[in-house]
Amino acid sequence: MQLPPAAAAAVAVRVSGVVQGVGFRPHVHRLAGELGLSGRVGNDAAGVFIELHGPAAVIDDFLHRLSTQAPPLARVTGIEITSLAAGVTSPEAFEIVATPAGGTVATSLPPDVGICADCRRELFDPADRRFGHPFITCTNCGPRYTIVLALPYDRPATTMAGFPMCPACQAEYDDPTDRRFHAQPIACPDCGPVLRYEPVDAGAGGPAAVAPAVVGSAAALAAARRCLRTGGVVAVKGVGGYHLAVDATSTSAVQRLRTRKQREHKPFAVMVADLEQARRVVELDDVEVAALTSPQRPVLLARRTRGDGVVAGPVAPGNPLLGVMLPSSPLHELLLAAGPDPVLDPVPPVLVMTSGNLSGEPICFDDDARTRLGPLIDGLLTHDRPIHVPCDDGVVRVVDGEVLPLRRSRGDAPLPLELPADAPPCLALGAELKNTIGVARGRHAWLSQHLGDLGDLETLRSFERTTRQLAEFFEVEPVLVAADPHPAYATHAWARRHHAERLITVQHHHAHVAALLAEHGLAPEVAVLGIAFDGTGYGTDGTVWGGEVLLADQRGFERLTHLARVPLPGGDSAVTNPARMALAHLWAAGIDWDPDLPAVAALDDPQRRLLRSQLERDVACIPTSSMGRLFDAVSALIGVCQHVTYEGQAAIELEWCTDPARLPASHHLDVLTSTARYAFEVGALVDPAPVLRAIVDDLRAGVPIPVIAVGFHDAVADAVVEVAQRCAERVAPAGAARTVGLTGGVFQNAWLTTRTRARLERQGWQVLTHRLVPPNDGGLALGQLAVLAARQPPTT
C-alpha cells in the first residue's frame, strides 16, 4: 500500500478482500483503541469502511499496521485512503457501526473454517460453558459459506438467524474485546442447535425408524458411537453436508458400506482424531502436515505407513496412498473422542468418512437425508442448523514439495482468484465431470465448490442451484456465458437453453491452459507451450482430443501437435472397458490380438469379433488423441485394470504400480531413470506404437509389471521433453525464457508430473503446474473466465 505523502488528521479508509466474518472489525477497533484514535468501522457491500480522527502521525502508524497486520482468516486485497472533507464531526471514541443496506457487492464471502485451537480447548474443558457443545465457534473458525443466505455477511443473513442468542452469547457478540465479537454462528448449549441421533433400519429396505430418537449432545454421540462399534453405518451431518461413517478398522463394516453404496473399488477416505493418529496410518512430511492441519481441513492423499495394521484392507484396496483428514467440525471432534468413560464408551481410532450420497448423486445436506440415505445407513446423527450451500470435502496431495489441489471445495470456495485482465460480468459453466462453475467481474473470479459429475438429475439440480446462488451472492448479472463446446454436455445444453445470445464456447484444452496461466498471474498475451493431457475434450475438428500440445495464451491457441489418433470404439463403452481401448491401440499399431496378452484375454471371442468388425468398418469409432485413454489402454494391456467402476480407475491403478515398494530389487529406480527402454516416435505426431510393441515384448519376456509401468511413465515424460525441444523456437526466440505448462487430469499423476518437470528443467524450461485450482476439469471454469476476460473489454 502506498501511503499518502502527508496523512490528514481525518481520513476514510476502504478495505477490500475477505474481510467480513473473519474478525476484521474488532481487529480495527482494538488497533484504534490502542492508538487512541476516534472514528468508526463497519461492513458494507463493498467490504469494510473505516473513518479515523486523530493526530496525523498516529493515523500514519495505524495505516502502517493495517497494511502489515490482519486477523488470521482475513485476506486483504486492497486498501484505499482518502482525506475527509473539513468539518466532518469526530466521534468521541472509536465505534463499530451497523451494516448499511444496499450497494454493489464487492467483498468476498469467507469459506468454512476448521475448528481453531482456542475453541478445541474449550470444547474439552469441563469448566467451560461450551464443554461438549458440537457447534462451538468463534471469529476464527466455524461455518461461513455453507450457512450464508446473502451478503453482507451478518447473522440475519445466515441460517443462524433462527437461533436467538441467550444473554451470555449476546454479551460476547456485542463485546469488541471478545473473541466472539460479531461471530455470526455464535451459540451455546442454551441457545444453539440441538444434536440428535435417529436409529434407522437399513435392512428393512427403506428408512424405517427402529427406536425413538436420542436428543442431546452427549446421549446422541454415545448412541452414534455404539452403532459404529457394532459395525453400523452412521450418516453424520457435518458443516457442508452428510458423511457416511463406519469403523475403518473393521473389514466387515467397510465391506457393508461398499455393498450398500454400490462402490466396488473406489478408495474411501478416513478421519482420525489428531496428527499423532494420522502418523499411524500415513507417512507425513512437513508440507503434508501443514496441508492436513490447515484451516481447510482437506482430505490429504499420503503414502500409507508400511506395515499399517490399523486400517482395514477394503478401505483403499491395493492403493499405496490413503486419503486422511482431521476433524473438520466440533461434532467430528466429539465423535472421535471417547465418552466420559473410555472403557464403557470407546470409539474406533479411525473412521471412514465418505460423502453422504447415493452413487452418482451430489452430497445430501437437507431434511430429506433420512429418505435419501435410509437404505445405506443404520443411524442418523443430525441437527437442526440448516445448511444453505452444500459443500463437500476438498482433496489435495503434495507433489514436488507443493500442495496440488485435486478437488477445490470446503475451506477454499468461494475465495476469489485474481484474473490477469478485467472481466465483464460473466458466468462460466465448467465441464461435465468434476464440475465447478464460476462468476467474475473485474479482476475477481469466484469459483463454486465441487459439484460432481453432471450425469444425474440431482446433480444437475445442484448445478442450477449453485449457479443461481453464486450469481446472487456476488451480484453478477452475466453479459457473457462460457461453456464447453461439447454438444452432448449438460452444461452446453443448459447454456443454449438459458443464455444462447450470450454464449461463448471455449475449447476444453485451451481452458485448461488458460486456467494455469491465470493462476500464475501471466498477462493475457503471454504465450506458453501448453501440454494438456486428459481423457476427453471436444476438439475443433469434431474429434475427441486429450493428448494436446498447444501454443497458447489466454486469448487463443494453436495446436502444434498431438498424440496420434486411434479409434474410440463405442464411445463410453471404451472408457468403462479399458480392454477395448487396449485392443484399439493394438489394432492401430498393427499388433496382433494374441490371447496371451491380458487385455485380449479379458474379452471373449464374440466380443473380440464385434470389436474387430467395428474397427475395420469404422462403425461408432470416433477418432481420439487422448493421453488418458492411452493410460487406460496400457493399464489393461499389462493386466492391471480391465474394467472400471469409477472415473480414472485404470490410469490411477497404473500409477500405483510405480510405487517404489512394488519394484523388484533388481530394477532400482536409479537404473530405470538413466536407461529409458520405451520411446514414442515423435514427428508430425506423437506415435505410441513403438512403446506398445516394446511393452508387448516385455510382457512376453516376463518383465515385472511395475517395471513396465515405470518405463511407460518415463516414456511419456521423455516424449514431452522431445516435443518441447522441437517446438522451442515457436515458443520463444533464441535466448528468451521458455515456459511450458503441464495441465489436464493426467497430471494429477505425481510420478509423471515429477519426472516430466525434472527433465524439462534440465533442458532449461520453466515449468508451470497447478497450485490454486485442480489440473483436472475442476479447474476448467477459471480458464473459461480467463478467456472471456482476455477476449472482451470490461463493461461498466
Side-chain angles (χ1 to χ4, degrees):
M1 179 189 69
Q2 183 66 44
L3 298 179
V11 298
V13 183
R14 162 67 60 190
V15 187
S16 56
V18 182
V19 290
Q20 294 185 10
V22 295
F24 203 86
R25 287 177 299 169
H27 168 72
V28 169
H29 184 276
R30 286 191 293 271
L31 184 56
E34 290 173 8
L35 296 175
L37 295 172
S38 63
R40 55 182 60 90
V41 62
N43 286 341
D44 63 13
V48 168
F49 61 89
I50 306 168
E51 182 182 313
L52 294 169
H53 298 264
V58 179
I59 289 178
D60 276 337
D61 189 12
F62 176 95
L63 295 174
H64 174 72
R65 295 195 196 184
L66 189 69
S67 67
T68 57
Q69 303 172 11
L73 302 181
R75 295 191 183 185
V76 176
T77 58
I79 299 177
E80 298 177 7
I81 306 161
T82 57
S83 297
L84 288 173
V88 175
T89 303
S90 171
E92 294 183 2
F94 197 89
E95 59 186 7
I96 297 174
V97 298
T99 300
T104 300
V105 171
T107 188
S108 295
L109 179 62
D112 305 293
V113 181
I115 184 171
C116 69
D118 288 332
C119 283
R120 190 178 190 278
R121 185 166 50 252
E122 294 170 349
L123 182 68
F124 293 108
D125 180 2
D128 193 273
R129 74 186 191 91
R130 290 188 176 87
F131 171 63
H133 180 52
F135 310 100
I136 189 171
T137 184
C138 72
T139 304
N140 297 321
C141 68
R144 303 288 197 276
Y145 179 48
T146 52
I147 64 171
V148 73
L149 303 173
L151 290 177
Y153 175 69
D154 284 316
R155 190 179 181 97
T158 73
T159 62
M160 286 299 293
F163 297 91
M165 287 179 277
C166 67
C169 285
Q170 187 71 55
E172 293 171 324
Y173 184 88
D174 293 335
D175 182 358
T177 66
D178 195 281
R179 197 176 87 248
R180 294 187 169 88
F181 174 73
H182 278 224
Q184 309 306 338
I186 185 176
C188 73
D190 294 331
C191 63
V194 176
L195 191 67
R196 72 180 186 276
Y197 174 81
E198 302 175 12
V200 176
D201 185 5
V210 296
V214 178
V215 180
S217 298
L221 285 161
R225 291 192 202 99
R226 282 194 298 272
C227 184
L228 292 168
R229 284 197 303 272
T230 56
V233 180
V234 177
V236 181
K237 186 177 181 181
V239 172
Y242 281 87
H243 285 110
L244 298 180
V246 296
D247 179 358
T249 68
S250 169
T251 297
S252 60
V254 177
Q255 195 57 56
R256 184 178 299 112
L257 177 60
R258 285 202 176 279
T259 300
R260 291 181 183 176
K261 204 176 180 191
Q262 300 178 27
R263 182 164 163 167
E264 189 176 354
H265 299 115
K266 190 175 182 180
F268 286 131
V270 300
M271 181 178 284
V272 295
D274 52 35
L275 195 56
E276 180 182 356
Q277 185 62 52
R279 285 195 165 106
R280 293 185 61 193
V281 296
V282 292
E283 300 173 1
L284 297 170
D285 62 24
D286 291 345
V287 179
E288 289 168 323
V289 168
L292 185 65
T293 59
S294 69
Q296 291 91 334
R297 291 294 195 276
V299 175
L300 170 72
L301 295 184
R303 184 169 298 281
R304 300 177 76 152
T305 302
R306 293 190 182 183
D308 162 43
V310 178
V311 177
V315 169
N319 193 344
L321 306 177
L322 181 66
V324 62
M325 58 180 154
L326 297 179
S328 54
S329 75
L331 174 56
H332 292 99
E333 290 274 4
L334 293 169
L335 186 62
L336 278 159
D341 187 337
V343 176
L344 297 178
D345 190 14
V347 64
V350 188
L351 294 177
V352 165
M353 282 285 176
T354 189
S355 298
N357 59 351
L358 298 174
S359 180
E361 290 190 359
I363 189 170
C364 184
F365 70 98
D366 53 21
D367 292 338
D368 68 351
R370 170 181 283 281
T371 301
R372 286 177 59 193
L373 301 180
L376 309 181
I377 63 176
D378 303 291
L380 188 73
L381 186 61
T382 188
H383 55 79
D384 56 351
R385 182 179 70 199
I387 296 170
H388 185 63
V389 182
C391 202
D392 215 333
D393 302 308
V395 182
V396 303
R397 73 184 301 186
V398 172
V399 179
D400 296 336
E402 295 183 288
V403 176
L404 173 69
L406 303 180
R407 187 165 79 190
R408 186 179 186 269
S409 200
R410 194 196 66 246
D412 286 312
L415 286 174
L417 299 168
E418 186 172 354
L419 292 172
D422 286 332
C426 54
L427 166 68
L429 302 179
E432 189 82 351
L433 301 180
K434 298 180 174 65
N435 180 262
T436 62
I437 63 104
V439 296
R441 187 181 61 241
R443 292 295 180 102
H444 285 150
W446 295 276
L447 300 190
S448 76
Q449 68 278 21
H450 166 81
L451 300 178
D453 301 343
L454 301 182
D456 174 89
L457 180 59
E458 286 297 326
T459 311
L460 187 57
R461 287 173 178 163
S462 176
F463 161 83
E464 291 179 329
R465 180 178 61 248
T466 303
T467 300
R468 182 176 62 255
Q469 287 175 337
L470 212 62
E472 289 174 352
F473 284 154
F474 301 108
E475 296 183 355
V476 173
E477 288 286 343
V479 298
L480 296 174
V481 175
D484 193 281
H486 199 304
Y489 276 8
T491 52
H492 185 96
W494 188 89
R496 290 213 172 274
R497 284 197 308 271
H498 297 283
H499 297 284
E501 71 284 359
R502 293 183 284 272
L503 175 61
I504 294 178
T505 59
V506 179
Q507 200 281 325
H508 189 94
H509 301 94
H510 181 213
H512 272 307
V513 178
L516 183 61
L517 299 180
E519 74 165 79
H520 282 272
L522 298 184
E525 67 277 7
V526 174
V528 302
L529 186 68
I531 311 297
F533 287 171
D534 64 2
T536 299
Y538 191 74
T540 57
D541 57 3
T543 66
V544 176
W545 292 10
E548 308 309 308
V549 180
L550 309 178
L551 179 61
D553 60 26
Q554 291 162 69
R555 301 168 302 177
F557 71 95
E558 178 185 352
R559 192 187 195 195
L560 299 183
T561 186
H562 55 84
L563 193 67
R565 298 184 188 93
V566 299
L568 184 67
D572 286 346
S573 64
V575 175
T576 56
N577 293 275
R580 292 174 59 87
M581 200 67 242
L583 268 61
H585 265 284
L586 293 176
W587 182 83
I591 301 172
D592 291 337
W593 292 358
D594 293 333
D596 65 324
L597 300 176
V600 178
L603 301 177
D604 59 28
D605 285 340
Q607 289 173 319
R608 291 197 294 268
R609 285 197 297 272
L610 178 61
L611 178 58
R612 185 177 294 277
S613 175
Q614 268 189 279
L615 294 170
E616 291 175 346
R617 296 167 56 202
D618 194 22
V619 175
C621 289
I622 302 171
T624 181
S625 59
S626 168
M627 181 62 77
R629 298 288 82 83
L630 178 60
F631 269 75
D632 290 351
V634 172
S635 182
L637 179 60
I638 64 178
V640 173
C641 181
Q642 309 291 359
H643 179 78
V644 303
T645 59
Y646 64 91
E647 196 259 334
Q649 179 180 353
I652 290 169
E653 293 187 1
L654 183 63
E655 183 190 359
W656 295 353
C657 293
T658 64
D659 179 32
R662 298 190 181 191
L663 287 167
S666 59
H667 292 81
H668 193 271
L669 291 184
D670 290 343
V671 176
L672 285 170
T673 303
S674 60
T675 57
R677 277 195 48 82
Y678 309 142
F680 287 76
E681 182 179 329
V682 179
L685 300 174
V686 182
D687 187 358
V691 172
L692 296 172
R693 294 189 194 100
I695 288 174
V696 168
D697 291 343
D698 278 357
L699 277 171
R700 289 173 172 152
V703 174
I705 297 304
V707 175
I708 296 176
V710 168
F712 171 70
H713 280 77
D714 282 351
V716 174
D718 287 339
V720 171
V721 175
E722 186 172 351
V723 166
Q725 294 297 92
R726 287 172 177 248
C727 297
E729 291 186 5
R730 294 293 307 278
V731 177
R738 302 182 302 173
T739 304
V740 62
L742 307 180
T743 187
V746 169
F747 287 107
Q748 296 175 109
N749 183 316
W751 180 279
L752 177 66
T753 300
T754 295
R755 294 171 104 71
T756 304
R757 178 205 291 273
R759 295 174 192 198
L760 284 166
E761 289 177 342
R762 284 199 294 268
Q763 296 297 323
W765 288 87
Q766 178 188 9
V767 181
L768 304 181
T769 56
H770 288 275
R771 292 297 176 260
L772 300 180
V773 298
N776 59 46
D777 286 0
L780 214 65
L782 177 62
Q784 292 170 345
L785 292 172
V787 170
L788 292 184
R791 291 179 179 175
Q792 302 290 330
T795 59
T796 58

